[in-house]
Amino acid sequence: MPFPPDAVGWATLLSSCRVHSNLEVGKWAAESLLDLEPTNPAGYILLSSIYAAKGKWNTVAQLRRGMREKGLRKDPGCSWIKFKNKLYIFSADDFSSPYYDQIYAELEKLNEKMIQMGYVPDASSVLHDVEELEKIKMLGHHSERLAIAFGLIFIPRHCPIRIVKNLRVCRDCHNATKYISKITQREILVRDAVRFHLFKDGACSCGDFW
């Protein structure tokens, strides 16, 4: 590069290291990012995800402790969808919606069809040291999936389902949404913290890079 990388450059490299589980380069990118933006929690979170994928939970705990000591925190994930001029907001494992029974029934039905089509949950997206079955359960109730299920129930078939998420869509939810778009033959547009994703007929416009 003819110029030194800025915080966006280091964050992009760090994100790629998470995708490819490259811990050595990831540590270098995280340290460089934190040198430029010591109050940005992204460096800690992305590096934590690399360690978590490798099962290094003690190091994950140390990074989280370091965040707390510096007063940094990760914003809780949430997704929202608009229907009839009203905004419906969901968080993970959310039972606050008056339609939660329909939403969870829809997700259960979709999950069965996804598994039949070859879907395998990616538990590495869960950054908690819990049993594998618990991780899979947590994945299935992420906020964007609740919003998608709501959209499938209430948004007319001829309209795309438009969802916004305040954080980056996790790898497993991204894969699951591709399956859902193919099963339901619906267009699903998701705007996360990184980019737009248009899911259609089992593929995403981002080409699985985000």
Side-chain angles (χ1 to χ4, degrees), residues 55-104:
K56 298 181 180 294
W57 297 108
N58 288 336
T59 308
V60 172
Q62 290 174 6
L63 286 168
R64 287 176 176 165
R65 189 160 51 248
M67 285 181 66
R68 287 195 300 270
E69 290 171 353
K70 290 180 172 64
L72 304 177
R73 61 185 294 274
K74 177 185 176 183
D75 291 332
C78 64
S79 300
W80 55 94
I81 182 171
K82 196 172 185 179
F83 176 60
K84 291 187 175 179
N85 294 321
K86 184 177 178 181
L87 211 58
Y88 293 84
I89 304 173
F90 299 90
S91 56
D93 290 311
D94 194 345
F95 287 90
S96 64
S97 170
Y99 310 105
Y100 79 86
D101 52 346
Q102 295 170 258
I103 290 169
Y104 280 85

mmCIF file of all heavy atoms in Angstrom, residues 55-104:
data_model
loop_
_atom_site.group_PDB
_atom_site.id
_atom_site.type_symbol
_atom_site.label_atom_id
_atom_site.label_comp_id
_atom_site.label_asym_id
_atom_site.label_seq_id
_atom_site.Cartn_x
_atom_site.Cartn_y
_atom_site.Cartn_z
ATOM 1 N N GLY A 55 -11.746 -22.438 20.393
ATOM 2 C CA GLY A 55 -11.986 -23.007 21.712
ATOM 3 C C GLY A 55 -11.109 -22.453 22.814
ATOM 4 O O GLY A 55 -10.994 -23.051 23.885
ATOM 5 N N LYS A 56 -10.499 -21.299 22.606
ATOM 6 C CA LYS A 56 -9.616 -20.687 23.612
ATOM 7 C C LYS A 56 -10.444 -19.764 24.517
ATOM 8 O O LYS A 56 -10.345 -18.539 24.459
ATOM 9 C CB LYS A 56 -8.477 -19.930 22.927
ATOM 10 C CG LYS A 56 -7.562 -20.833 22.087
ATOM 11 C CD LYS A 56 -6.440 -20.036 21.447
ATOM 12 C CE LYS A 56 -5.515 -20.914 20.620
ATOM 13 N NZ LYS A 56 -4.752 -21.875 21.434
ATOM 14 N N TRP A 57 -11.268 -20.384 25.371
ATOM 15 C CA TRP A 57 -12.239 -19.620 26.156
ATOM 16 C C TRP A 57 -11.584 -18.787 27.251
ATOM 17 O O TRP A 57 -12.118 -17.744 27.639
ATOM 18 C CB TRP A 57 -13.281 -20.560 26.734
ATOM 19 C CG TRP A 57 -14.067 -21.234 25.658
ATOM 20 C CD1 TRP A 57 -14.002 -22.544 25.280
ATOM 21 C CD2 TRP A 57 -15.023 -20.618 24.782
ATOM 22 N NE1 TRP A 57 -14.849 -22.788 24.226
ATOM 23 C CE2 TRP A 57 -15.481 -21.627 23.899
ATOM 24 C CE3 TRP A 57 -15.521 -19.313 24.657
ATOM 25 C CZ2 TRP A 57 -16.432 -21.366 22.920
ATOM 26 C CZ3 TRP A 57 -16.455 -19.060 23.677
ATOM 27 C CH2 TRP A 57 -16.912 -20.071 22.817
ATOM 28 N N ASN A 58 -10.437 -19.221 27.769
ATOM 29 C CA ASN A 58 -9.744 -18.417 28.785
ATOM 30 C C ASN A 58 -9.291 -17.083 28.206
ATOM 31 O O ASN A 58 -9.399 -16.030 28.861
ATOM 32 C CB ASN A 58 -8.542 -19.180 29.354
ATOM 33 C CG ASN A 58 -8.962 -20.328 30.251
ATOM 34 O OD1 ASN A 58 -10.065 -20.313 30.807
ATOM 35 N ND2 ASN A 58 -8.104 -21.327 30.394
ATOM 36 N N THR A 59 -8.796 -17.133 26.964
ATOM 37 C CA THR A 59 -8.364 -15.895 26.308
ATOM 38 C C THR A 59 -9.566 -15.007 25.991
ATOM 39 O O THR A 59 -9.489 -13.777 26.105
ATOM 40 C CB THR A 59 -7.589 -16.219 25.014
ATOM 41 O OG1 THR A 59 -6.557 -17.159 25.303
ATOM 42 C CG2 THR A 59 -6.969 -14.970 24.417
ATOM 43 N N VAL A 60 -10.685 -15.637 25.578
ATOM 44 C CA VAL A 60 -11.913 -14.871 25.335
ATOM 45 C C VAL A 60 -12.337 -14.135 26.608
ATOM 46 O O VAL A 60 -12.687 -12.952 26.579
ATOM 47 C CB VAL A 60 -13.049 -15.802 24.856
ATOM 48 C CG1 VAL A 60 -14.375 -15.038 24.794
ATOM 49 C CG2 VAL A 60 -12.727 -16.387 23.486
ATOM 50 N N ALA A 61 -12.267 -14.837 27.750
ATOM 51 C CA ALA A 61 -12.632 -14.220 29.038
ATOM 52 C C ALA A 61 -11.703 -13.061 29.373
ATOM 53 O O ALA A 61 -12.144 -12.024 29.886
ATOM 54 C CB ALA A 61 -12.597 -15.273 30.140
ATOM 55 N N GLN A 62 -10.404 -13.200 29.075
ATOM 56 C CA GLN A 62 -9.441 -12.128 29.336
ATOM 57 C C GLN A 62 -9.755 -10.896 28.498
ATOM 58 O O GLN A 62 -9.684 -9.756 28.985
ATOM 59 C CB GLN A 62 -8.018 -12.618 29.046
ATOM 60 C CG GLN A 62 -7.505 -13.654 30.037
ATOM 61 C CD GLN A 62 -6.159 -14.216 29.616
ATOM 62 O OE1 GLN A 62 -5.548 -13.750 28.646
ATOM 63 N NE2 GLN A 62 -5.698 -15.240 30.327
ATOM 64 N N LEU A 63 -10.113 -11.119 27.226
ATOM 65 C CA LEU A 63 -10.448 -9.993 26.343
ATOM 66 C C LEU A 63 -11.707 -9.284 26.830
ATOM 67 O O LEU A 63 -11.775 -8.046 26.835
ATOM 68 C CB LEU A 63 -10.639 -10.492 24.908
ATOM 69 C CG LEU A 63 -9.365 -10.877 24.154
ATOM 70 C CD1 LEU A 63 -9.706 -11.619 22.874
ATOM 71 C CD2 LEU A 63 -8.540 -9.640 23.829
ATOM 72 N N ARG A 64 -12.685 -10.053 27.258
ATOM 73 C CA ARG A 64 -13.923 -9.447 27.767
ATOM 74 C C ARG A 64 -13.664 -8.666 29.056
ATOM 75 O O ARG A 64 -14.237 -7.600 29.272
ATOM 76 C CB ARG A 64 -14.972 -10.540 28.010
ATOM 77 C CG ARG A 64 -15.560 -11.104 26.716
ATOM 78 C CD ARG A 64 -16.517 -12.233 26.982
ATOM 79 N NE ARG A 64 -17.145 -12.695 25.744
ATOM 80 C CZ ARG A 64 -17.796 -13.842 25.615
ATOM 81 N NH1 ARG A 64 -17.921 -14.646 26.666
ATOM 82 N NH2 ARG A 64 -18.333 -14.190 24.474
ATOM 83 N N ARG A 65 -12.785 -9.221 29.888
ATOM 84 C CA ARG A 65 -12.432 -8.528 31.125
ATOM 85 C C ARG A 65 -11.726 -7.215 30.797
ATOM 86 O O ARG A 65 -11.967 -6.182 31.436
ATOM 87 C CB ARG A 65 -11.549 -9.430 31.983
ATOM 88 C CG ARG A 65 -11.298 -8.882 33.390
ATOM 89 C CD ARG A 65 -10.847 -9.964 34.356
ATOM 90 N NE ARG A 65 -9.725 -10.733 33.833
ATOM 91 C CZ ARG A 65 -9.800 -12.025 33.475
ATOM 92 N NH1 ARG A 65 -10.946 -12.686 33.576
ATOM 93 N NH2 ARG A 65 -8.736 -12.674 33.016
ATOM 94 N N GLY A 66 -10.850 -7.250 29.781
ATOM 95 C CA GLY A 66 -10.156 -6.037 29.355
ATOM 96 C C GLY A 66 -11.127 -4.977 28.861
ATOM 97 O O GLY A 66 -10.952 -3.781 29.113
ATOM 98 N N MET A 67 -12.178 -5.409 28.145
ATOM 99 C CA MET A 67 -13.202 -4.467 27.684
ATOM 100 C C MET A 67 -13.910 -3.813 28.867
ATOM 101 O O MET A 67 -14.122 -2.600 28.888
ATOM 102 C CB MET A 67 -14.230 -5.190 26.803
ATOM 103 C CG MET A 67 -13.751 -5.539 25.411
ATOM 104 S SD MET A 67 -15.038 -6.359 24.435
ATOM 105 C CE MET A 67 -16.246 -5.039 24.270
ATOM 106 N N ARG A 68 -14.274 -4.640 29.855
ATOM 107 C CA ARG A 68 -14.978 -4.095 31.028
ATOM 108 C C ARG A 68 -14.117 -3.101 31.790
ATOM 109 O O ARG A 68 -14.590 -2.045 32.227
ATOM 110 C CB ARG A 68 -15.399 -5.235 31.954
ATOM 111 C CG ARG A 68 -16.566 -6.070 31.438
ATOM 112 C CD ARG A 68 -17.164 -6.922 32.540
ATOM 113 N NE ARG A 68 -16.189 -7.845 33.089
ATOM 114 C CZ ARG A 68 -15.984 -9.086 32.634
ATOM 115 N NH1 ARG A 68 -16.702 -9.526 31.604
ATOM 116 N NH2 ARG A 68 -15.093 -9.873 33.196
ATOM 117 N N GLU A 69 -12.824 -3.423 31.924
ATOM 118 C CA GLU A 69 -11.920 -2.540 32.664
ATOM 119 C C GLU A 69 -11.764 -1.197 31.967
ATOM 120 O O GLU A 69 -11.519 -0.177 32.618
ATOM 121 C CB GLU A 69 -10.559 -3.225 32.825
ATOM 122 C CG GLU A 69 -10.588 -4.410 33.786
ATOM 123 C CD GLU A 69 -9.302 -5.205 33.774
ATOM 124 O OE1 GLU A 69 -8.430 -4.907 32.909
ATOM 125 O OE2 GLU A 69 -9.161 -6.118 34.601
ATOM 126 N N LYS A 70 -11.895 -1.189 30.639
ATOM 127 C CA LYS A 70 -11.781 0.055 29.874
ATOM 128 C C LYS A 70 -13.139 0.742 29.691
ATOM 129 O O LYS A 70 -13.237 1.769 29.021
ATOM 130 C CB LYS A 70 -11.144 -0.234 28.514
ATOM 131 C CG LYS A 70 -9.675 -0.607 28.587
ATOM 132 C CD LYS A 70 -9.131 -0.884 27.194
ATOM 133 C CE LYS A 70 -7.612 -1.062 27.211
ATOM 134 N NZ LYS A 70 -7.197 -2.239 27.993
ATOM 135 N N GLY A 71 -14.185 0.137 30.253
ATOM 136 C CA GLY A 71 -15.511 0.721 30.131
ATOM 137 C C GLY A 71 -16.124 0.558 28.754
ATOM 138 O O GLY A 71 -17.035 1.306 28.371
ATOM 139 N N LEU A 72 -15.649 -0.442 27.991
ATOM 140 C CA LEU A 72 -16.184 -0.683 26.650
ATOM 141 C C LEU A 72 -17.245 -1.772 26.716
ATOM 142 O O LEU A 72 -17.166 -2.689 27.517
ATOM 143 C CB LEU A 72 -15.062 -1.126 25.702
ATOM 144 C CG LEU A 72 -13.855 -0.195 25.584
ATOM 145 C CD1 LEU A 72 -12.811 -0.802 24.664
ATOM 146 C CD2 LEU A 72 -14.284 1.170 25.065
ATOM 147 N N ARG A 73 -18.232 -1.673 25.863
ATOM 148 C CA ARG A 73 -19.269 -2.699 25.831
ATOM 149 C C ARG A 73 -19.772 -2.898 24.413
ATOM 150 O O ARG A 73 -19.758 -1.969 23.587
ATOM 151 C CB ARG A 73 -20.446 -2.312 26.742
ATOM 152 C CG ARG A 73 -21.139 -1.026 26.354
ATOM 153 C CD ARG A 73 -22.208 -0.633 27.355
ATOM 154 N NE ARG A 73 -23.312 -1.575 27.383
ATOM 155 C CZ ARG A 73 -24.367 -1.510 26.563
ATOM 156 N NH1 ARG A 73 -24.419 -0.549 25.645
ATOM 157 N NH2 ARG A 73 -25.346 -2.370 26.656
ATOM 158 N N LYS A 74 -20.197 -4.112 24.151
ATOM 159 C CA LYS A 74 -20.788 -4.434 22.855
ATOM 160 C C LYS A 74 -22.278 -4.114 22.905
ATOM 161 O O LYS A 74 -22.977 -4.511 23.841
ATOM 162 C CB LYS A 74 -20.597 -5.922 22.547
ATOM 163 C CG LYS A 74 -21.242 -6.382 21.254
ATOM 164 C CD LYS A 74 -21.113 -7.890 21.090
ATOM 165 C CE LYS A 74 -21.843 -8.364 19.834
ATOM 166 N NZ LYS A 74 -21.781 -9.838 19.694
ATOM 167 N N ASP A 75 -22.748 -3.374 21.915
ATOM 168 C CA ASP A 75 -24.173 -3.077 21.861
ATOM 169 C C ASP A 75 -24.962 -4.374 21.682
ATOM 170 O O ASP A 75 -24.579 -5.226 20.881
ATOM 171 C CB ASP A 75 -24.489 -2.140 20.685
ATOM 172 C CG ASP A 75 -23.925 -0.748 20.895
ATOM 173 O OD1 ASP A 75 -23.795 -0.351 22.067
ATOM 174 O OD2 ASP A 75 -23.610 -0.083 19.891
ATOM 175 N N PRO A 76 -26.053 -4.541 22.420
ATOM 176 C CA PRO A 76 -26.873 -5.741 22.221
ATOM 177 C C PRO A 76 -27.461 -5.758 20.818
ATOM 178 O O PRO A 76 -27.886 -4.705 20.299
ATOM 179 C CB PRO A 76 -27.962 -5.620 23.297
ATOM 180 C CG PRO A 76 -27.934 -4.215 23.758
ATOM 181 C CD PRO A 76 -26.583 -3.667 23.476
ATOM 182 N N GLY A 77 -27.459 -6.911 20.196
ATOM 183 C CA GLY A 77 -27.965 -7.016 18.835
ATOM 184 C C GLY A 77 -29.477 -6.899 18.778
ATOM 185 O O GLY A 77 -30.187 -7.424 19.640
ATOM 186 N N CYS A 78 -29.964 -6.205 17.774
ATOM 187 C CA CYS A 78 -31.408 -6.145 17.549
ATOM 188 C C CYS A 78 -31.668 -5.952 16.058
ATOM 189 O O CYS A 78 -30.817 -5.467 15.316
ATOM 190 C CB CYS A 78 -32.058 -5.029 18.363
ATOM 191 S SG CYS A 78 -31.549 -3.358 17.926
ATOM 192 N N SER A 79 -32.841 -6.382 15.646
ATOM 193 C CA SER A 79 -33.261 -6.243 14.248
ATOM 194 C C SER A 79 -34.663 -5.675 14.225
ATOM 195 O O SER A 79 -35.445 -5.902 15.150
ATOM 196 C CB SER A 79 -33.252 -7.606 13.547
ATOM 197 O OG SER A 79 -31.972 -8.186 13.567
ATOM 198 N N TRP A 80 -34.973 -4.930 13.171
ATOM 199 C CA TRP A 80 -36.305 -4.350 13.095
ATOM 200 C C TRP A 80 -36.858 -4.422 11.678
ATOM 201 O O TRP A 80 -36.122 -4.499 10.697
ATOM 202 C CB TRP A 80 -36.349 -2.930 13.631
ATOM 203 C CG TRP A 80 -35.387 -1.945 13.037
ATOM 204 C CD1 TRP A 80 -35.618 -1.090 12.009
ATOM 205 C CD2 TRP A 80 -34.035 -1.692 13.464
ATOM 206 N NE1 TRP A 80 -34.505 -0.319 11.760
ATOM 207 C CE2 TRP A 80 -33.528 -0.666 12.642
ATOM 208 C CE3 TRP A 80 -33.223 -2.238 14.465
ATOM 209 C CZ2 TRP A 80 -32.221 -0.183 12.783
ATOM 210 C CZ3 TRP A 80 -31.935 -1.755 14.606
ATOM 211 C CH2 TRP A 80 -31.446 -0.730 13.779
ATOM 212 N N ILE A 81 -38.179 -4.439 11.625
ATOM 213 C CA ILE A 81 -38.899 -4.553 10.357
ATOM 214 C C ILE A 81 -40.135 -3.660 10.437
ATOM 215 O O ILE A 81 -40.740 -3.525 11.508
ATOM 216 C CB ILE A 81 -39.293 -6.028 10.079
ATOM 217 C CG1 ILE A 81 -40.001 -6.164 8.727
ATOM 218 C CG2 ILE A 81 -40.137 -6.610 11.209
ATOM 219 C CD1 ILE A 81 -40.202 -7.622 8.305
ATOM 220 N N LYS A 82 -40.503 -3.044 9.335
ATOM 221 C CA LYS A 82 -41.648 -2.140 9.308
ATOM 222 C C LYS A 82 -42.837 -2.824 8.640
ATOM 223 O O LYS A 82 -42.694 -3.462 7.594
ATOM 224 C CB LYS A 82 -41.279 -0.860 8.544
ATOM 225 C CG LYS A 82 -42.230 0.303 8.778
ATOM 226 C CD LYS A 82 -41.667 1.570 8.133
ATOM 227 C CE LYS A 82 -42.533 2.785 8.458
ATOM 228 N NZ LYS A 82 -41.974 4.018 7.864
ATOM 229 N N PHE A 83 -43.994 -2.695 9.275
ATOM 230 C CA PHE A 83 -45.223 -3.279 8.728
ATOM 231 C C PHE A 83 -46.386 -2.353 9.050
ATOM 232 O O PHE A 83 -46.625 -2.017 10.210
ATOM 233 C CB PHE A 83 -45.452 -4.673 9.321
ATOM 234 C CG PHE A 83 -46.739 -5.317 8.906
ATOM 235 C CD1 PHE A 83 -47.011 -5.560 7.570
ATOM 236 C CD2 PHE A 83 -47.686 -5.673 9.854
ATOM 237 C CE1 PHE A 83 -48.193 -6.163 7.173
ATOM 238 C CE2 PHE A 83 -48.880 -6.274 9.476
ATOM 239 C CZ PHE A 83 -49.129 -6.519 8.135
ATOM 240 N N LYS A 84 -47.091 -1.911 8.014
ATOM 241 C CA LYS A 84 -48.223 -0.993 8.173
ATOM 242 C C LYS A 84 -47.835 0.240 8.999
ATOM 243 O O LYS A 84 -48.533 0.621 9.946
ATOM 244 C CB LYS A 84 -49.416 -1.716 8.793
ATOM 245 C CG LYS A 84 -50.049 -2.744 7.860
ATOM 246 C CD LYS A 84 -51.331 -3.321 8.441
ATOM 247 C CE LYS A 84 -51.994 -4.252 7.441
ATOM 248 N NZ LYS A 84 -53.241 -4.856 7.982
ATOM 249 N N ASN A 85 -46.697 0.834 8.610
ATOM 250 C CA ASN A 85 -46.201 2.078 9.231
ATOM 251 C C ASN A 85 -45.862 1.938 10.710
ATOM 252 O O ASN A 85 -45.763 2.936 11.436
ATOM 253 C CB ASN A 85 -47.214 3.216 9.054
ATOM 254 C CG ASN A 85 -47.371 3.618 7.603
ATOM 255 O OD1 ASN A 85 -46.396 3.665 6.856
ATOM 256 N ND2 ASN A 85 -48.605 3.882 7.189
ATOM 257 N N LYS A 86 -45.653 0.709 11.162
ATOM 258 C CA LYS A 86 -45.241 0.481 12.544
ATOM 259 C C LYS A 86 -43.944 -0.318 12.553
ATOM 260 O O LYS A 86 -43.764 -1.236 11.752
ATOM 261 C CB LYS A 86 -46.331 -0.271 13.312
ATOM 262 C CG LYS A 86 -46.008 -0.463 14.779
ATOM 263 C CD LYS A 86 -47.153 -1.160 15.513
ATOM 264 C CE LYS A 86 -46.793 -1.393 16.975
ATOM 265 N NZ LYS A 86 -47.877 -2.097 17.714
ATOM 266 N N LEU A 87 -43.038 0.068 13.446
ATOM 267 C CA LEU A 87 -41.745 -0.599 13.548
ATOM 268 C C LEU A 87 -41.822 -1.710 14.594
ATOM 269 O O LEU A 87 -42.249 -1.487 15.725
ATOM 270 C CB LEU A 87 -40.666 0.411 13.941
ATOM 271 C CG LEU A 87 -39.245 0.175 13.441
ATOM 272 C CD1 LEU A 87 -39.204 0.103 11.925
ATOM 273 C CD2 LEU A 87 -38.323 1.276 13.947
ATOM 274 N N TYR A 88 -41.382 -2.912 14.204
ATOM 275 C CA TYR A 88 -41.344 -4.050 15.124
ATOM 276 C C TYR A 88 -39.880 -4.402 15.372
ATOM 277 O O TYR A 88 -39.138 -4.712 14.432
ATOM 278 C CB TYR A 88 -42.092 -5.241 14.529
ATOM 279 C CG TYR A 88 -43.585 -4.996 14.398
ATOM 280 C CD1 TYR A 88 -44.101 -4.322 13.290
ATOM 281 C CD2 TYR A 88 -44.467 -5.415 15.385
ATOM 282 C CE1 TYR A 88 -45.459 -4.077 13.166
ATOM 283 C CE2 TYR A 88 -45.834 -5.179 15.274
ATOM 284 C CZ TYR A 88 -46.319 -4.519 14.162
ATOM 285 O OH TYR A 88 -47.671 -4.273 14.048
ATOM 286 N N ILE A 89 -39.459 -4.342 16.621
ATOM 287 C CA ILE A 89 -38.056 -4.544 16.993
ATOM 288 C C ILE A 89 -37.910 -5.857 17.747
ATOM 289 O O ILE A 89 -38.703 -6.175 18.637
ATOM 290 C CB ILE A 89 -37.544 -3.375 17.859
ATOM 291 C CG1 ILE A 89 -37.740 -2.051 17.113
ATOM 292 C CG2 ILE A 89 -36.069 -3.569 18.213
ATOM 293 C CD1 ILE A 89 -37.428 -0.824 17.949
ATOM 294 N N PHE A 90 -36.861 -6.620 17.379
ATOM 295 C CA PHE A 90 -36.613 -7.920 17.992
ATOM 296 C C PHE A 90 -35.187 -8.003 18.525
ATOM 297 O O PHE A 90 -34.264 -7.471 17.908
ATOM 298 C CB PHE A 90 -36.824 -9.046 16.974
ATOM 299 C CG PHE A 90 -38.221 -9.110 16.419
ATOM 300 C CD1 PHE A 90 -38.558 -8.406 15.266
ATOM 301 C CD2 PHE A 90 -39.197 -9.861 17.044
ATOM 302 C CE1 PHE A 90 -39.839 -8.455 14.745
ATOM 303 C CE2 PHE A 90 -40.486 -9.923 16.537
ATOM 304 C CZ PHE A 90 -40.818 -9.211 15.388
ATOM 305 N N SER A 91 -35.021 -8.676 19.634
ATOM 306 C CA SER A 91 -33.703 -9.029 20.145
ATOM 307 C C SER A 91 -33.623 -10.550 20.203
ATOM 308 O O SER A 91 -34.635 -11.242 20.014
ATOM 309 C CB SER A 91 -33.466 -8.421 21.533
ATOM 310 O OG SER A 91 -34.481 -8.826 22.423
ATOM 311 N N ALA A 92 -32.458 -11.102 20.456
ATOM 312 C CA ALA A 92 -32.297 -12.555 20.487
ATOM 313 C C ALA A 92 -33.149 -13.168 21.591
ATOM 314 O O ALA A 92 -33.272 -12.603 22.680
ATOM 315 C CB ALA A 92 -30.826 -12.910 20.693
ATOM 316 N N ASP A 93 -33.746 -14.322 21.294
ATOM 317 C CA ASP A 93 -34.602 -15.030 22.267
ATOM 318 C C ASP A 93 -35.715 -14.131 22.803
ATOM 319 O O ASP A 93 -36.053 -14.180 23.984
ATOM 320 C CB ASP A 93 -33.765 -15.577 23.432
ATOM 321 C CG ASP A 93 -32.874 -16.723 23.000
ATOM 322 O OD1 ASP A 93 -33.377 -17.650 22.347
ATOM 323 O OD2 ASP A 93 -31.676 -16.687 23.323
ATOM 324 N N ASP A 94 -36.280 -13.329 21.923
ATOM 325 C CA ASP A 94 -37.282 -12.332 22.313
ATOM 326 C C ASP A 94 -38.679 -12.955 22.360
ATOM 327 O O ASP A 94 -39.137 -13.537 21.377
ATOM 328 C CB ASP A 94 -37.253 -11.185 21.298
ATOM 329 C CG ASP A 94 -37.984 -9.956 21.772
ATOM 330 O OD1 ASP A 94 -38.748 -10.064 22.746
ATOM 331 O OD2 ASP A 94 -37.784 -8.886 21.171
ATOM 332 N N PHE A 95 -39.343 -12.848 23.506
ATOM 333 C CA PHE A 95 -40.708 -13.335 23.650
ATOM 334 C C PHE A 95 -41.681 -12.186 23.932
ATOM 335 O O PHE A 95 -42.804 -12.415 24.380
ATOM 336 C CB PHE A 95 -40.796 -14.365 24.778
ATOM 337 C CG PHE A 95 -40.170 -15.696 24.430
ATOM 338 C CD1 PHE A 95 -38.835 -15.936 24.703
ATOM 339 C CD2 PHE A 95 -40.913 -16.693 23.826
ATOM 340 C CE1 PHE A 95 -38.246 -17.150 24.379
ATOM 341 C CE2 PHE A 95 -40.351 -17.916 23.492
ATOM 342 C CZ PHE A 95 -39.005 -18.142 23.774
ATOM 343 N N SER A 96 -41.240 -10.950 23.674
ATOM 344 C CA SER A 96 -42.062 -9.796 24.015
ATOM 345 C C SER A 96 -43.132 -9.497 22.971
ATOM 346 O O SER A 96 -44.107 -8.797 23.256
ATOM 347 C CB SER A 96 -41.182 -8.558 24.209
ATOM 348 O OG SER A 96 -40.533 -8.215 22.991
ATOM 349 N N SER A 97 -42.972 -10.024 21.746
ATOM 350 C CA SER A 97 -43.947 -9.734 20.695
ATOM 351 C C SER A 97 -45.271 -10.448 20.973
ATOM 352 O O SER A 97 -45.278 -11.604 21.410
ATOM 353 C CB SER A 97 -43.406 -10.196 19.334
ATOM 354 O OG SER A 97 -44.419 -10.132 18.344
ATOM 355 N N PRO A 98 -46.385 -9.790 20.708
ATOM 356 C CA PRO A 98 -47.677 -10.468 20.871
ATOM 357 C C PRO A 98 -47.864 -11.614 19.879
ATOM 358 O O PRO A 98 -48.773 -12.430 20.040
ATOM 359 C CB PRO A 98 -48.698 -9.347 20.618
ATOM 360 C CG PRO A 98 -47.962 -8.317 19.823
ATOM 361 C CD PRO A 98 -46.547 -8.382 20.297
ATOM 362 N N TYR A 99 -46.968 -11.681 18.882
ATOM 363 C CA TYR A 99 -47.044 -12.736 17.867
ATOM 364 C C TYR A 99 -45.961 -13.798 18.053
ATOM 365 O O TYR A 99 -45.665 -14.544 17.132
ATOM 366 C CB TYR A 99 -46.908 -12.117 16.470
ATOM 367 C CG TYR A 99 -47.824 -10.948 16.224
ATOM 368 C CD1 TYR A 99 -47.322 -9.645 16.229
ATOM 369 C CD2 TYR A 99 -49.184 -11.132 15.996
ATOM 370 C CE1 TYR A 99 -48.164 -8.556 16.010
ATOM 371 C CE2 TYR A 99 -50.025 -10.048 15.772
ATOM 372 C CZ TYR A 99 -49.515 -8.766 15.783
ATOM 373 O OH TYR A 99 -50.344 -7.697 15.571
ATOM 374 N N TYR A 100 -45.353 -13.837 19.245
ATOM 375 C CA TYR A 100 -44.188 -14.706 19.423
ATOM 376 C C TYR A 100 -44.503 -16.174 19.167
ATOM 377 O O TYR A 100 -43.660 -16.919 18.665
ATOM 378 C CB TYR A 100 -43.568 -14.522 20.812
ATOM 379 C CG TYR A 100 -44.274 -15.215 21.949
ATOM 380 C CD1 TYR A 100 -43.997 -16.543 22.254
ATOM 381 C CD2 TYR A 100 -45.201 -14.545 22.726
ATOM 382 C CE1 TYR A 100 -44.640 -17.182 23.294
ATOM 383 C CE2 TYR A 100 -45.845 -15.179 23.768
ATOM 384 C CZ TYR A 100 -45.561 -16.500 24.049
ATOM 385 O OH TYR A 100 -46.201 -17.136 25.076
ATOM 386 N N ASP A 101 -45.727 -16.632 19.494
ATOM 387 C CA ASP A 101 -46.049 -18.037 19.269
ATOM 388 C C ASP A 101 -46.059 -18.371 17.781
ATOM 389 O O ASP A 101 -45.549 -19.420 17.362
ATOM 390 C CB ASP A 101 -47.394 -18.392 19.906
ATOM 391 C CG ASP A 101 -48.520 -17.448 19.496
ATOM 392 O OD1 ASP A 101 -48.226 -16.377 18.938
ATOM 393 O OD2 ASP A 101 -49.688 -17.808 19.723
ATOM 394 N N GLN A 102 -46.590 -17.449 16.948
ATOM 395 C CA GLN A 102 -46.580 -17.654 15.503
ATOM 396 C C GLN A 102 -45.161 -17.581 14.952
ATOM 397 O O GLN A 102 -44.788 -18.360 14.058
ATOM 398 C CB GLN A 102 -47.445 -16.590 14.816
ATOM 399 C CG GLN A 102 -48.919 -16.653 15.147
ATOM 400 C CD GLN A 102 -49.662 -15.442 14.623
ATOM 401 O OE1 GLN A 102 -49.988 -14.527 15.369
ATOM 402 N NE2 GLN A 102 -49.915 -15.413 13.330
ATOM 403 N N ILE A 103 -44.366 -16.651 15.471
ATOM 404 C CA ILE A 103 -42.994 -16.459 14.997
ATOM 405 C C ILE A 103 -42.140 -17.697 15.275
ATOM 406 O O ILE A 103 -41.443 -18.211 14.390
ATOM 407 C CB ILE A 103 -42.368 -15.207 15.655
ATOM 408 C CG1 ILE A 103 -43.039 -13.943 15.112
ATOM 409 C CG2 ILE A 103 -40.856 -15.161 15.413
ATOM 410 C CD1 ILE A 103 -42.685 -12.681 15.872
ATOM 411 N N TYR A 104 -42.203 -18.209 16.496
ATOM 412 C CA TYR A 104 -41.387 -19.369 16.851
ATOM 413 C C TYR A 104 -41.864 -20.630 16.138
ATOM 414 O O TYR A 104 -41.056 -21.495 15.784
ATOM 415 C CB TYR A 104 -41.351 -19.558 18.368
ATOM 416 C CG TYR A 104 -40.377 -18.628 19.041
ATOM 417 C CD1 TYR A 104 -40.740 -17.328 19.393
ATOM 418 C CD2 TYR A 104 -39.070 -19.028 19.295
ATOM 419 C CE1 TYR A 104 -39.842 -16.462 19.985
ATOM 420 C CE2 TYR A 104 -38.164 -18.165 19.892
ATOM 421 C CZ TYR A 104 -38.550 -16.883 20.230
ATOM 422 O OH TYR A 104 -37.647 -16.021 20.823
#
